[in-house]
Amino acid sequence: QVQLVESGGGLAQVGGSLRLSCAASERTFSEYVMGWFRQAPGKERAFVAAISRSDTRTYYADSVKGRFTISRDNSKNTLSLQMNSLKLEDTAVYYCAARGRGLYSVPTESREYRHWGQGTQVTVSS
């Protein structure tokens, strides 16, 4: 079972940038569709971005499109999320997630992802 560890969260100002990383434990990282989700206080977990196994397809929530970029480095077993032009409403705990091994479709529903990291806090202040 793949284990995921997020890093890179912290405090940023409105309009600033942060880069999140997710390290995966398995060498078969390239066989997992990956995604980022976030959960703000009092709200349900929400889709942020997802990426196909070979990095050819990416998907974004409308709220982050044009500001966030998801990427992966299969040689380093790493998933990243570059967040620019941060807004107050981006404040949340961000989770890295992986689908079951060997699947190809890239869903946006959290229930489709089997493996989850512990989350990293992102706080945007004015």
Side-chain angles (χ1 to χ4, degrees):
Q1 177 172 330
V2 65
Q3 295 184 338
L4 306 171
V5 179
E6 301 97 335
S7 61
L11 180 65
Q13 290 190 327
V14 171
S17 298
L18 282 174
R19 185 177 181 86
L20 305 184
S21 295
C22 174
S25 62
E26 286 199 8
R27 296 180 181 179
T28 54
F29 177 69
S30 63
E31 297 183 27
Y32 293 87
V33 169
M34 300 295 297
W36 287 99
F37 291 79
R38 67 186 181 186
Q39 188 166 17
K43 296 187 176 181
E44 294 187 352
R45 191 169 297 186
F47 170 74
V48 175
I51 189 167
S52 63
R53 290 166 49 173
S54 60
D55 197 13
T56 56
R57 292 176 290 152
T58 57
Y59 302 86
Y60 297 93
D62 289 342
S63 59
V64 307
K65 201 170 295 182
R67 300 188 297 120
F68 291 10
T69 302
I70 188 173
S71 61
R72 66 189 297 163
D73 186 338
N74 288 339
S75 67
K76 296 181 179 179
N77 300 342
T78 301
L79 176 74
S80 298
L81 184 69
Q82 178 66 42
M83 305 186 295
N84 298 328
S85 302
L86 285 165
K87 302 177 179 181
L88 292 174
E89 52 264 41
D90 294 321
T91 295
V93 177
Y94 283 71
Y95 296 91
C96 168
R99 295 206 70 196
R101 180 179 172 184
L103 299 176
Y104 282 94
S105 63
V106 186
T108 61
E109 298 85 0
S110 60
R111 65 177 182 271
E112 300 291 341
Y113 290 77
R114 179 176 299 179
H115 311 286
W116 293 82
Q118 82 288 350
T120 185
Q121 176 70 47
V122 170
T123 302
V124 183
S125 68
S126 57

